[in-house]
Amino acid sequence: MDNKKIQKINEISLDIGALAVQAILYEVACFPSPGLVSPVSNGAHKDMNFYTFIDSTSIIMKSLVLFAQKGLSEKSPKEIFYDIRNVGIQAEKDMFLKTLGVNTHKGMIFLMGICCAAVSKVIYENKEFNSVQAVIKEMCSDLTLNDFKGIENKSILSNGEKLYIKYNLRGVRGQAEDGIPLVFDYALDIYRNSSNLSKNDRLVNTLIGIMQFCEDTTIINRHSLEVLEWVKVKSKHIISLGGMKTDIGKDKIEELAKVFIEKNISPGGSADLLGITVFLSLVEEYIQKNYTHN
């Protein structure tokens, strides 16, 4: 590989990694974000704060660039997926070492890693942004089947495996396997349609929009399916009132933030999807600016 090609691969990888970091930091920077860590609240978390998230984001930055680098390849999307899993395992180890064992970004590493690699693959093949979802689906085909094969014989189960056995919920794997439909088919639109709001209010509005529909396993793990359904109903009501676009919507979000702290509810899955939404929005602009077809 000649120096010019290596330089181009490094440049794209760093660009995509930087957009991923920006998106992850945007997610934790907005407030009021019910139950979540922000600059003004630890939400429903006693083991982490805003600085824990900055530390965690900083340490996984290297892995985000490597995810992108792996996608700049002639390999098939499925082969790329197998390549990035090792990068993801190392990113998790780095995260836990930096945060002294606190899980700040495990779900985000998984989803963002897939998205970084898929975006790079699309750029490598000189395709449009709207090809990203198809690449993700190809990367993650049969993911649940492969990952959960033989779990009935395991003595120690992860939270994801427990939910799959108990409720047949596929969690974050299912979202990836289906091409992250909640983001591509809904959240990107609500984010675009909230562009007249301030950056902060736009993020919060999109978060509440995602919470209406997200099968949030973080909530189920802490509580139950019933509590998740309650969160969805509350979020739908807030969006029907205008969300961050109206004074009454803002008041209801403030109230929800207080209730989530009292009830120890954290919509961590929705937070991850907000980060992915921001990333893909940034990526769409990046591709249009740098790789638009004439």
Side-chain angles (χ1 to χ4, degrees), residues 160-218:
E161 289 168 337
K162 288 174 185 174
L163 291 178
Y164 183 69
I165 288 175
K166 190 172 183 180
Y167 302 116
N168 199 32
L169 285 174
R170 295 178 297 149
V172 71
R173 289 177 179 84
Q175 269 293 314
E177 202 168 27
D178 296 342
I180 323 181
L182 187 45
V183 171
F184 281 98
D185 302 341
Y186 174 73
L188 275 169
D189 282 337
I190 194 172
Y191 190 65
R192 291 183 190 112
N193 294 334
S194 304
S195 60
N196 60 317
L197 299 174
S198 68
K199 283 184 180 179
N200 180 80
D201 290 2
R202 184 186 189 190
L203 291 162
V204 174
N205 199 60
T206 306
L207 172 66
I208 303 299
I210 291 168
M211 285 164 55
Q212 297 177 96
F213 306 113
C214 182
E215 298 295 335
D216 202 315
T217 55
T218 307

Side-chain angles (χ1 to χ4, degrees), residues 40-56:
V40 299
S41 171
N42 293 354
H45 297 271
K46 294 180 173 62
D47 58 348
M48 62 181 84
N49 58 35
F50 183 61
Y51 292 102
T52 318
F53 271 77
I54 292 176
D55 290 347
S56 179

Side-chain angles (χ1 to χ4, degrees), residues 52-216:
T52 318
F53 271 77
I54 292 176
D55 290 347
S56 179
T57 305
S58 300
I59 201 69
I60 65 172
M61 181 169 62
K62 174 180 68 177
S63 295
L64 296 170
V65 173
L66 290 173
F67 286 133
Q69 203 171 65
K70 294 290 186 184
L72 296 166
S73 164
E74 293 180 0
K75 291 183 179 180
S76 70
K78 181 61 80 175
E79 289 173 319
I80 290 169
F81 178 74
Y82 290 129
D83 281 350
I84 67 171
R85 287 207 106 166
N86 288 329
V87 179
I89 290 166
Q90 186 58 51
E92 279 187 25
K93 288 178 181 176
D94 292 342
M95 174 196 72
F96 282 124
L97 193 63
K98 186 72 172 181
T99 64
L100 304 179
V102 177
N103 176 13
T104 47
H105 284 123
K106 191 171 180 180
M108 185 74 86
I109 289 168
F110 178 77
L111 286 176
M112 192 65 84
I114 290 167
C115 288
C116 285
V119 166
S120 290
K121 180 63 172 171
V122 164
I123 292 171
Y124 184 82
E125 295 190 345
N126 200 31
K127 292 180 178 177
E128 303 278 1
F129 171 77
N130 59 17
S131 301
V132 173
Q133 187 176 30
V135 173
I136 291 171
K137 285 181 180 178
E138 196 174 338
M139 286 174 70
C140 301
S141 61
D142 297 322
L143 178 58
T144 306
L145 183 69
N146 293 332
D147 276 10
F148 289 163
K149 193 180 293 181
I151 60 171
E152 64 277 359
N153 300 318
K154 290 177 68 174
S155 55
I156 300 174
L157 298 174
S158 68
N159 285 332
E161 289 168 337
K162 288 174 185 174
L163 291 178
Y164 183 69
I165 288 175
K166 190 172 183 180
Y167 302 116
N168 199 32
L169 285 174
R170 295 178 297 149
V172 71
R173 289 177 179 84
Q175 269 293 314
E177 202 168 27
D178 296 342
I180 323 181
L182 187 45
V183 171
F184 281 98
D185 302 341
Y186 174 73
L188 275 169
D189 282 337
I190 194 172
Y191 190 65
R192 291 183 190 112
N193 294 334
S194 304
S195 60
N196 60 317
L197 299 174
S198 68
K199 283 184 180 179
N200 180 80
D201 290 2
R202 184 186 189 190
L203 291 162
V204 174
N205 199 60
T206 306
L207 172 66
I208 303 299
I210 291 168
M211 285 164 55
Q212 297 177 96
F213 306 113
C214 182
E215 298 295 335
D216 202 315

